[in-house]
Amino acid sequence: MKTHTQAVVIGGGVIGCSILYHLTKLGWNDVVLLERDELTSGSTWHAAANIHGLHDSANISRLQHYTMTLYNQLEEETGQSCGVFQPGSLYLAQTENREHQLRLQAAKAKLYGMNFHEINRDEAERLHPLVNFDGIRCIMYEPDGGNVDPSGVTNAYAVGARQKGAEIHRFTAVIGTEQQPDGSWIVRTNKGDIHTQWVINAAGLWGREVAALAGIELPLQPTEHQYFVTETIAEIDALDRRLPSVADRDGEYYLRQEGKGLLIGAYERDMRFWAEEGTPLDFAHDLFPDDLERIEENMMRAIDRVPLVGEAGIKRVINGPMIWTPDSNVVLGPVPELKNYFCCNGIIPGFSQSAGMGLMVAQWIIEGEMQYDMFGWDMARFGLWANDKKFVKAKVEDVYAHRFAIHYPNEERAAGRPLRTRPAYEMQKGMGAVFGLNYGWEHPLWFADQPETVDTNGFTRQNWWEPVGRECRMLRDHVGVIDISNFAKYQVKGAGAEEWLNSVFANTMPKVVGRSCLTPLIGVRGGIAGDATVTRVSEDEFWVVSSGMAERYQKRFYDTVELPEGTTFTSMTDAMCGFNVAGPKSRDLLQRLTNTSLATEDFPFMRSKMIDLAGVNCLALRVSFTGDLGWELHCKAEDQARLYEALIDGAKALEGGPVGSRALMSLRVEKGYGSWSREYSPEYWPHEVGLERLCKMQKDFLNKAACADVLAQPAREQLVLVHVNEDDVSMSNSDATGGEPIFKDGEGIGRVTSGTYGYTVGMSLALGYIKAGTALPGDDVEVMILGKSHRGIILHEPPFDPKGERLRA
Ligand SMILES: Cc1cc2nc3c(=O)[nH]c(=O)nc-3n(C[C@H](O)[C@H](O)[C@H](O)COP(=O)(O)OP(=O)(O)OC[C@H]3O[C@@H](n4cnc5c(N)ncnc54)[C@H](O)[C@@H]3O)c2cc1C
């Protein structure tokens, strides 16, 4: 065994082996994988190993598509069979909402060049004569769907990696990982130590135990999961071809051919946790006792759909463990609090995603960043707050039991909440607030007439649609108070604060006390890793406000630039709260609560002051994400409730009141403002988002060379605002929400990033990216809302206050 290497991958399941393979594929050949037992000894060996290409997330679809394509190439490259069967997959919709979901996926497939299309019942019956299609509203067909052999795939990755120089050591358990002062690691095993630059935790079911060796916790919890295989079915035996798999997700089971019988698996409501106190170290090729009673309801639905299942005997039952995160997506990425420690844990569709995941890990480690925006996979979407065991269990129970449920746009699930609340929470609850979860915090989405109201969910306009409109109009006509405590807030203090901020952010920091600037944070590939408002509050102190959900993600960037001696960078997100008070009467409202003059000449746009507001000391910034006249106010958390009460009382006296974040979303789209994780992401270049003028190339900043490199190239895409045809929107009763493809003359040219109804401009709006040069302002396009064509026109300018007169009033 080597004693020095570039990377040690811990775990020889399908994911560890794919990571090893992709590291070598991208040019790192001096790499080692350590497996405590045989390869595949965790969840991998007993998986049903179904593979699917389509996913609600476009980037995950791309990576699943890559994975399915790679399996065939791997066989050729390595000579090792992956046991790939691709008889296709049938996706069935029993409900209107499932039909909407499938039609939207079909539209996305067309945009991204994937094969997923509707077929009629005759065609479906020809493809799968054993299925009873009664009650099915729509059938989609994915010709590449199927399944693979779990050990075949894992071994193919292993062979491919070895061919390129990687070492694999089986029966070699990692028993310690120790960080060295230079950031490298010593990995201790039962067979000796290895000094490595990077540690990659791909220990599957033992992800928590391996993380603990490095002193970290991960939000993971294993569960049991069952499927069974029937005896030979004569009708299948008589066929000279393989049957397609069946994704009848409304029935909450999966079904495919296995041998000459069928394999049926289920995510049952009455689920079981396993290994709550830790995964036993002596567990390997083991299974749990059968418990088919638990999945009986799901089985009955499968029998209704394929009656022959009810007549076939059961040959084999597999009840094995799998390990989940709170939202069922992988936790992937370098641990922000450690150097050179990478996690890739909690993977459910390992066989649909293994290659995409391995590629993303290898890109991140070797090239410094992934090619796609995969924030939905990034472990930094969870803070340390997510390690709360009760929260993790509640979430895992929910995601397991609803594995095949439709996850609607704007859906907020109740499980595990509330986890983190602010002092004004109870007051807001009493005022009818319906809350959402943002980086663990409860924050008001909208205000209902009655307390305890909950969101209804669906693809069409829901119970919040009208009330949110009332909030928008109230703010634009009078004044609204929006709780923005979930924004990330930082204090940078000390003689070197300006210098440090200038070396991190792309814009030049304000020279004059009281001034603010907007600035991009540039990613490793030159894209937009963040956007922030930076305010100089004193000679040696700056206040930075950025996206709340990106706090741990952006920490990785901040940590790469050393702070000058005596200068501090402190997150104030927990300690401070904030409100956005906006609308034409916002000045009147605030002026009644403070002696500081808020007149335009005394307090112009993009300026800040410390002010006393209703007896509460606040940092007031004259900025507003609503695009309207307004201020952001930041106060100590203990003063939040007092300030809120004063603001709400004052607003009510002016025909205003509380406004939630759904209204904020609509208001900012009316103004054409982008938002992090939707319009701003590392995938987009500054000139594609319209932020190039904020990148000051005459000074140094983080990833400046990459920024210069992309700015020297023509924009690949451009951000546009589309007005969607009112008649079409009325017919479908649905606005765009994000992700919908945009077509022009039948050609896919882009996709929506944020969609909403613009209540105060009376337009259904969609912000999105289109390929550069494919359409111009004034051109007609089609937006595929619910997968159906909706006419749209690209706007020349945002419909609300295009000249910024309200903002600067
Ligand atoms: C019943 C069932 C059906 C499934 N069906 C499907 C399906 O149809 N499609 C699909 O895509 N996915 C399916 N899955 C999920 C799939 O199995 C997982 O996503 C996948 O196997 C995860 O692989 P992994 O490499 O992350 O983890 P694991 O397979 O758990 O591998 C982790 C490896 O790390 C090793 N290890 C742990 N600790 C150490 C240590 N200290 N030192 C060295 N080595 C260590 C372990 O021995 C193990 O081999 C199913 C799972 C189950 C349980």
Side-chain angles (χ1 to χ4, degrees):
M1 190 165 80
K2 284 188 173 154
T3 53
H4 286 75
T5 183
Q6 287 171 293
V8 167
V9 180
I10 306 173
V14 66
I15 299 300
C17 290
S18 169
I19 294 171
L20 191 76
Y21 170 81
H22 282 91
L23 286 170
T24 60
K25 196 169 179 178
L26 266 58
W28 274 25
N29 308 106
D30 180 11
V31 288
V32 173
L33 182 143
L34 303 174
E35 165 55 52
R36 66 184 182 116
D37 203 291
E38 284 287 3
L39 296 182
T40 78
S41 297
S43 287
T44 296
W45 71 273
H46 57 251
N50 303 314
I51 52 171
H52 299 279
L54 261 291
H55 191 278
D56 287 337
S57 148
N59 279 348
I60 295 180
S61 288
R62 283 173 165 150
L63 294 176
Q64 294 191 168
H65 189 63
Y66 166 68
T67 302
M68 288 165 70
T69 313
L70 188 82
Y71 289 144
N72 290 314
Q73 292 170 10
L74 253 187
E75 287 191 341
E76 277 178 35
E77 197 180 308
T78 63
Q80 161 73 48
S81 164
C82 292
V84 185
F85 291 104
Q86 289 180 295
S89 298
L90 296 173
Y91 293 75
L92 314 184
Q94 293 190 34
T95 64
E96 187 181 20
N97 276 329
R98 183 70 68 182
E99 186 178 340
H100 290 327
Q101 185 198 32
L102 293 184
R103 291 198 185 285
L104 184 55
Q105 288 187 344
K108 288 183 187 175
K110 192 170 168 213
L111 175 69
Y112 295 110
M114 298 172 195
N115 199 351
F116 181 89
H117 59 269
E118 186 170 10
I119 56 171
N120 61 29
R121 183 170 173 160
D122 287 350
E123 171 83 343
E125 280 173 345
R126 194 190 58 71
L127 286 165
H128 206 316
L130 308 191
V131 174
N132 170 9
F133 290 97
D134 287 354
I136 298 298
R137 300 169 60 104
C138 139
I139 307 162
M140 294 286 172
Y141 181 50
E142 183 184 33
D144 293 337
N147 67 284
V148 291
D149 165 25
S151 338
V153 166
T154 310
N155 281 303
Y157 282 131
V159 172
R162 277 202 201 97
Q163 282 173 348
K164 292 190 173 69
E167 279 187 8
I168 295 178
H169 298 280
R170 293 172 305 133
F171 301 100
T172 308
V174 172
I175 49 177
T177 49
E178 289 160 25
Q179 176 106 69
Q180 302 305 295
D182 65 354
S184 64
W185 291 82
I186 300 284
V187 175
R188 304 209 186 277
T189 80
N190 56 342
K191 296 193 179 154
D193 298 346
I194 308 186
H195 186 192
T196 178
Q197 203 180 323
W198 276 90
V199 170
I200 301 159
N201 175 353
L205 293 172
W206 296 265
R208 292 172 298 177
E209 285 68 27
V210 167
L213 299 176
I216 52 169
E217 254 186 275
L218 296 176
L220 296 169
Q221 171 60 52
T223 68
E224 296 185 10
H225 178 58
Q226 286 184 97
Y227 66 81
F228 64 92
V229 180
T230 69
E231 300 282 4
T232 294
I233 294 175
E235 286 78 352
I236 298 179
D237 201 20
L239 287 173
D240 57 0
R241 64 182 171 94
R242 206 171 159 96
L243 292 166
S245 64
V246 179
D248 179 10
R249 292 183 172 161
D250 298 313
E252 299 185 332
Y253 62 87
Y254 52 86
L255 182 148
R256 70 162 169 86
Q257 184 174 338
E258 172 74 9
K260 294 292 179 185
L262 291 170
L263 178 155
I264 294 126
Y267 290 94
E268 68 280 13
R269 295 288 161 105
D270 181 21
M271 51 79 70
R272 293 285 182 279
F273 292 119
W274 178 65
E276 289 179 44
E277 301 309 320
T279 306
L281 294 179
D282 58 355
F283 191 91
H285 277 81
D286 300 305
L287 292 173
F288 310 125
D290 310 349
D291 187 3
L292 285 182
E293 242 173 62
R294 237 172 52 223
I295 63 167
E296 198 178 309
E297 281 181 26
N298 313 60
M299 280 167 71
M300 295 316 289
R301 287 191 289 267
I303 291 170
D304 283 348
R305 188 64 58 211
V306 184
L308 282 176
V309 172
E311 294 165 25
I314 291 176
K315 184 161 108 187
R316 188 167 82 240
V317 180
I318 298 283
N319 185 9
M322 60 205 319
I323 189 161
W324 298 72
T325 67
D327 62 5
S328 80
N329 272 331
V330 59
V331 283
L332 177 149
V335 176
E337 295 74 25
L338 292 176
K339 203 163 183 301
N340 293 2
Y341 190 100
F342 206 100
C343 286
C344 190
N345 303 93
I347 300 110
I348 299 307
F351 291 91
S352 294
Q353 299 182 346
S354 67
M357 218 164 259
L359 178 67
M360 291 300 101
V361 175
Q363 284 185 353
W364 202 334
I365 290 178
I366 296 172
E367 297 166 8
E369 199 169 84
M370 301 176 284
Q371 80 187 89
Y372 297 128
D373 170 16
M374 297 301 303
F375 186 70
W377 278 4
D378 188 341
M379 66 178 299
R381 72 188 180 280
F382 296 115
L384 300 179
W385 47 266
N387 293 331
D388 179 300
K389 215 168 168 173
K390 213 166 127 228
F391 174 78
V392 175
K393 278 184 62 186
K395 283 285 180 204
V396 168
E397 178 170 9
D398 186 53
V399 291
Y400 182 97
H402 298 93
R403 175 76 184 148
F404 288 151
I406 299 168
H407 294 292
Y408 297 104
N410 295 303
E411 184 182 82
E412 297 281 346
R413 300 200 66 86
R417 296 167 50 198
L419 181 67
R420 299 208 288 172
T421 58
R422 302 279 191 179
Y425 173 71
E426 289 299 333
M427 202 193 307
Q428 290 166 334
K429 220 170 143 183
M431 288 159 59
V434 179
F435 292 90
L437 189 70
N438 186 303
Y439 199 61
W441 294 108
E442 293 295 326
H443 75 114
L445 298 171
W446 60 285
F447 290 83
D449 293 337
Q450 294 299 322
E452 308 294 333
T453 302
V454 293
D455 271 342
T456 57
N457 285 308
F459 288 104
T460 52
R461 292 171 176 172
Q462 298 295 308
N463 63 341
W464 50 267
W465 195 86
E466 282 294 344
V468 167
R470 283 201 295 275
E471 289 173 23
C472 290
R473 285 187 284 269
M474 176 177 72
L475 186 143
R476 289 272 193 251
D477 293 343
H478 307 287
V479 57
V481 180
I482 309 172
D483 189 338
I484 54 163
S485 304
N486 55 331
F487 286 11
K489 302 168 282 282
Y490 311 94
Q491 178 201 56
V492 187
K493 199 167 166 34
E498 181 181 356
E499 174 200 334
W500 184 79
L501 286 162
N502 267 321
S503 52
V504 171
F505 289 111
N507 201 352
T508 308
M509 294 300 113
K511 287 262 165 236
V512 177
V513 172
R515 294 216 177 183
S516 305
C517 76
L518 297 176
T519 177
L521 174 72
I522 299 295
V524 174
R525 293 177 189 266
I528 305 293
D531 62 309
T533 308
V534 185
T535 302
R536 186 166 204 144
V537 290
S538 74
E539 257 325 301
D540 68 348
E541 185 180 338
F542 290 78
W543 181 255
V544 182
V545 180
S546 189
S547 168
M549 70 200 279
E551 178 146 5
R552 201 167 172 223
Y553 163 81
Q554 284 161 358
K555 181 176 163 39
R556 295 199 189 99
F557 293 87
Y558 302 142
D559 286 349
T560 58
V561 183
E562 206 176 323
L563 281 159
E565 180 95 24
T567 297
T568 56
F569 171 86
T570 314
S571 168
M572 305 298 284
T573 310
D574 293 7
M576 302 285 285
C577 288
F579 296 108
N580 181 346
V581 179
K585 297 182 188 166
S586 56
R587 179 177 282 123
D588 293 5
L589 162 59
L590 297 180
Q591 196 64 80
R592 291 175 191 199
L593 301 173
T594 181
N595 292 327
T596 306
S597 168
L598 303 179
T600 314
E601 57 279 18
D602 297 323
F603 207 143
F605 182 59
M606 293 300 276
R607 299 295 164 85
S608 76
K609 279 182 190 172
M610 289 303 300
I611 63 172
D612 183 289
L613 207 67
V616 173
N617 201 23
C618 296
L619 171 65
L621 312 179
R622 208 178 137 196
V623 292
S624 180
F625 199 33
T626 61
D628 218 309
L629 171 69
W631 279 261
E632 264 184 23
L633 308 165
H634 299 277
C635 68
K636 285 190 182 141
E638 57 264 35
D639 292 330
Q640 189 207 19
R642 192 153 57 106
L643 180 61
Y644 194 53
E645 209 171 342
L647 292 172
I648 295 296
D649 285 351
K652 283 187 178 154
L654 294 166
E655 298 174 78
V659 167
S661 60
R662 289 224 175 109
L664 180 58
M665 158 87 172
S666 164
L667 296 165
R668 66 106 183 153
V669 173
E670 289 179 347
K671 179 73 182 161
Y673 284 161
S675 167
W676 198 81
S677 95
R678 285 178 174 267
E679 289 73 34
Y680 301 158
S681 98
E683 215 169 297
Y684 306 125
W685 294 346
H687 48 320
E688 294 170 343
V689 200
L691 293 181
E692 69 277 25
R693 68 193 164 79
L694 301 182
C695 299
K696 305 295 181 199
M697 304 312 286
Q698 65 276 22
K699 65 155 199 152
D700 262 343
F701 56 87
L702 193 60
N703 300 319
K704 180 183 166 185
C707 185
D709 192 33
V710 300
L711 287 177
Q713 301 173 52
R716 304 156 302 178
E717 298 187 296
Q718 66 190 104
L719 189 59
V720 295
L721 186 56
V722 178
H723 173 199
V724 187
N725 183 281
E726 303 306 325
D727 293 337
D728 293 357
V729 166
S730 308
M731 287 274 286
S732 63
N733 190 32
S734 181
D735 304 289
T737 53
E740 293 87 353
I742 303 174
F743 283 79
K744 183 169 184 281
D745 304 327
E747 282 293 309
I749 60 165
R751 73 232 162 264
V752 176
T753 45
S754 297
T756 179
Y757 190 69
Y759 299 90
T760 78
V761 295
M763 295 175 166
S764 189
L765 296 169
L767 259 180
Y769 283 94
I770 58 165
K771 283 182 214 152
T774 52
L776 292 168
D779 280 357
D780 292 328
V781 292
E782 293 166 64
V783 182
M784 303 301 283
I785 298 171
L786 306 180
K788 293 183 200 117
S789 171
H790 287 55
R791 288 164 291 167
I793 185 159
I794 300 180
L795 295 174
H796 288 269
E797 57 184 19
F800 176 74
D801 191 26
K803 307 239 162 357
E805 285 157 6
R806 288 272 287 258
L807 196 62
R808 289 180 173 78

PDB file of all heavy atoms in Angstrom, residues 495-508:
ATOM      1  N   ALA A 495      -8.502  47.545  10.959  1.00  0.00           N
ATOM      2  CA  ALA A 495      -7.799  48.439  10.039  1.00  0.00           C
ATOM      3  C   ALA A 495      -7.710  47.857   8.631  1.00  0.00           C
ATOM      4  O   ALA A 495      -7.669  48.590   7.637  1.00  0.00           O
ATOM      5  CB  ALA A 495      -6.401  48.725  10.586  1.00  0.00           C
ATOM      6  N   GLY A 496      -7.711  46.512   8.540  1.00  0.00           N
ATOM      7  CA  GLY A 496      -7.568  45.890   7.211  1.00  0.00           C
ATOM      8  C   GLY A 496      -8.888  45.506   6.572  1.00  0.00           C
ATOM      9  O   GLY A 496      -8.911  44.792   5.562  1.00  0.00           O
ATOM     10  N   ALA A 497     -10.015  45.992   7.143  1.00  0.00           N
ATOM     11  CA  ALA A 497     -11.335  45.547   6.651  1.00  0.00           C
ATOM     12  C   ALA A 497     -11.541  45.907   5.180  1.00  0.00           C
ATOM     13  O   ALA A 497     -11.960  45.072   4.363  1.00  0.00           O
ATOM     14  CB  ALA A 497     -12.443  46.148   7.511  1.00  0.00           C
ATOM     15  N   GLU A 498     -11.236  47.148   4.825  1.00  0.00           N
ATOM     16  CA  GLU A 498     -11.462  47.596   3.435  1.00  0.00           C
ATOM     17  C   GLU A 498     -10.593  46.788   2.466  1.00  0.00           C
ATOM     18  O   GLU A 498     -11.064  46.312   1.428  1.00  0.00           O
ATOM     19  CB  GLU A 498     -11.140  49.090   3.321  1.00  0.00           C
ATOM     20  CG  GLU A 498     -11.372  49.626   1.921  1.00  0.00           C
ATOM     21  CD  GLU A 498     -11.034  51.111   1.804  1.00  0.00           C
ATOM     22  OE1 GLU A 498     -10.688  51.748   2.830  1.00  0.00           O
ATOM     23  OE2 GLU A 498     -11.103  51.633   0.680  1.00  0.00           O
ATOM     24  N   GLU A 499      -9.336  46.620   2.869  1.00  0.00           N
ATOM     25  CA  GLU A 499      -8.395  45.887   2.008  1.00  0.00           C
ATOM     26  C   GLU A 499      -8.887  44.439   1.796  1.00  0.00           C
ATOM     27  O   GLU A 499      -8.896  43.927   0.681  1.00  0.00           O
ATOM     28  CB  GLU A 499      -7.026  45.902   2.720  1.00  0.00           C
ATOM     29  CG  GLU A 499      -5.953  45.092   2.066  1.00  0.00           C
ATOM     30  CD  GLU A 499      -4.822  44.771   3.051  1.00  0.00           C
ATOM     31  OE1 GLU A 499      -4.616  45.531   4.033  1.00  0.00           O
ATOM     32  OE2 GLU A 499      -4.179  43.723   2.853  1.00  0.00           O
ATOM     33  N   TRP A 500      -9.337  43.820   2.895  1.00  0.00           N
ATOM     34  CA  TRP A 500      -9.783  42.424   2.790  1.00  0.00           C
ATOM     35  C   TRP A 500     -11.019  42.318   1.893  1.00  0.00           C
ATOM     36  O   TRP A 500     -11.073  41.469   1.000  1.00  0.00           O
ATOM     37  CB  TRP A 500     -10.077  41.862   4.188  1.00  0.00           C
ATOM     38  CG  TRP A 500     -10.439  40.400   4.148  1.00  0.00           C
ATOM     39  CD1 TRP A 500      -9.585  39.347   4.033  1.00  0.00           C
ATOM     40  CD2 TRP A 500     -11.769  39.843   4.185  1.00  0.00           C
ATOM     41  NE1 TRP A 500     -10.295  38.165   3.991  1.00  0.00           N
ATOM     42  CE2 TRP A 500     -11.630  38.434   4.089  1.00  0.00           C
ATOM     43  CE3 TRP A 500     -13.039  40.385   4.303  1.00  0.00           C
ATOM     44  CZ2 TRP A 500     -12.725  37.572   4.108  1.00  0.00           C
ATOM     45  CZ3 TRP A 500     -14.138  39.516   4.318  1.00  0.00           C
ATOM     46  CH2 TRP A 500     -13.973  38.137   4.221  1.00  0.00           C
ATOM     47  N   LEU A 501     -11.986  43.197   2.127  1.00  0.00           N
ATOM     48  CA  LEU A 501     -13.213  43.147   1.321  1.00  0.00           C
ATOM     49  C   LEU A 501     -12.911  43.394  -0.149  1.00  0.00           C
ATOM     50  O   LEU A 501     -13.487  42.755  -1.037  1.00  0.00           O
ATOM     51  CB  LEU A 501     -14.226  44.178   1.841  1.00  0.00           C
ATOM     52  CG  LEU A 501     -14.906  43.784   3.150  1.00  0.00           C
ATOM     53  CD1 LEU A 501     -15.541  44.990   3.814  1.00  0.00           C
ATOM     54  CD2 LEU A 501     -15.959  42.700   2.904  1.00  0.00           C
ATOM     55  N   ASN A 502     -11.988  44.314  -0.403  1.00  0.00           N
ATOM     56  CA  ASN A 502     -11.609  44.582  -1.798  1.00  0.00           C
ATOM     57  C   ASN A 502     -10.941  43.376  -2.434  1.00  0.00           C
ATOM     58  O   ASN A 502     -11.044  43.173  -3.638  1.00  0.00           O
ATOM     59  CB  ASN A 502     -10.676  45.796  -1.874  1.00  0.00           C
ATOM     60  CG  ASN A 502     -11.464  47.072  -2.107  1.00  0.00           C
ATOM     61  OD1 ASN A 502     -12.436  47.081  -2.861  1.00  0.00           O
ATOM     62  ND2 ASN A 502     -11.058  48.144  -1.445  1.00  0.00           N
ATOM     63  N   SER A 503     -10.247  42.582  -1.600  1.00  0.00           N
ATOM     64  CA  SER A 503      -9.583  41.429  -2.208  1.00  0.00           C
ATOM     65  C   SER A 503     -10.525  40.228  -2.327  1.00  0.00           C
ATOM     66  O   SER A 503     -10.195  39.260  -2.996  1.00  0.00           O
ATOM     67  CB  SER A 503      -8.297  41.058  -1.459  1.00  0.00           C
ATOM     68  OG  SER A 503      -8.577  40.913  -0.110  1.00  0.00           O
ATOM     69  N   VAL A 504     -11.691  40.301  -1.698  1.00  0.00           N
ATOM     70  CA  VAL A 504     -12.684  39.230  -1.835  1.00  0.00           C
ATOM     71  C   VAL A 504     -13.686  39.574  -2.946  1.00  0.00           C
ATOM     72  O   VAL A 504     -13.887  38.806  -3.881  1.00  0.00           O
ATOM     73  CB  VAL A 504     -13.455  39.016  -0.495  1.00  0.00           C
ATOM     74  CG1 VAL A 504     -14.628  38.062  -0.699  1.00  0.00           C
ATOM     75  CG2 VAL A 504     -12.513  38.482   0.584  1.00  0.00           C
ATOM     76  N   PHE A 505     -14.316  40.741  -2.834  1.00  0.00           N
ATOM     77  CA  PHE A 505     -15.422  41.085  -3.739  1.00  0.00           C
ATOM     78  C   PHE A 505     -14.932  41.791  -5.008  1.00  0.00           C
ATOM     79  O   PHE A 505     -13.913  42.471  -5.004  1.00  0.00           O
ATOM     80  CB  PHE A 505     -16.437  41.962  -3.020  1.00  0.00           C
ATOM     81  CG  PHE A 505     -17.221  41.212  -1.972  1.00  0.00           C
ATOM     82  CD1 PHE A 505     -17.052  41.479  -0.620  1.00  0.00           C
ATOM     83  CD2 PHE A 505     -18.116  40.224  -2.345  1.00  0.00           C
ATOM     84  CE1 PHE A 505     -17.780  40.777   0.341  1.00  0.00           C
ATOM     85  CE2 PHE A 505     -18.853  39.518  -1.393  1.00  0.00           C
ATOM     86  CZ  PHE A 505     -18.675  39.799  -0.041  1.00  0.00           C
ATOM     87  N   ALA A 506     -15.745  41.680  -6.077  1.00  0.00           N
ATOM     88  CA  ALA A 506     -15.334  42.213  -7.373  1.00  0.00           C
ATOM     89  C   ALA A 506     -15.488  43.730  -7.474  1.00  0.00           C
ATOM     90  O   ALA A 506     -14.756  44.382  -8.219  1.00  0.00           O
ATOM     91  CB  ALA A 506     -16.144  41.535  -8.477  1.00  0.00           C
ATOM     92  N   ASN A 507     -16.439  44.293  -6.730  1.00  0.00           N
ATOM     93  CA  ASN A 507     -16.619  45.750  -6.816  1.00  0.00           C
ATOM     94  C   ASN A 507     -15.664  46.449  -5.844  1.00  0.00           C
ATOM     95  O   ASN A 507     -15.115  45.828  -4.924  1.00  0.00           O
ATOM     96  CB  ASN A 507     -18.077  46.110  -6.476  1.00  0.00           C
ATOM     97  CG  ASN A 507     -18.476  47.474  -7.028  1.00  0.00           C
ATOM     98  OD1 ASN A 507     -17.628  48.219  -7.529  1.00  0.00           O
ATOM     99  ND2 ASN A 507     -19.740  47.803  -6.930  1.00  0.00           N
ATOM    100  N   THR A 508     -15.480  47.750  -6.058  1.00  0.00           N
ATOM    101  CA  THR A 508     -14.631  48.537  -5.153  1.00  0.00           C
ATOM    102  C   THR A 508     -15.460  48.938  -3.938  1.00  0.00           C
ATOM    103  O   THR A 508     -16.593  49.413  -4.076  1.00  0.00           O
ATOM    104  CB  THR A 508     -14.137  49.809  -5.879  1.00  0.00           C
ATOM    105  OG1 THR A 508     -13.551  49.377  -7.110  1.00  0.00           O
ATOM    106  CG2 THR A 508     -13.114  50.558  -5.058  1.00  0.00           C
TER     107      THR A 508
END
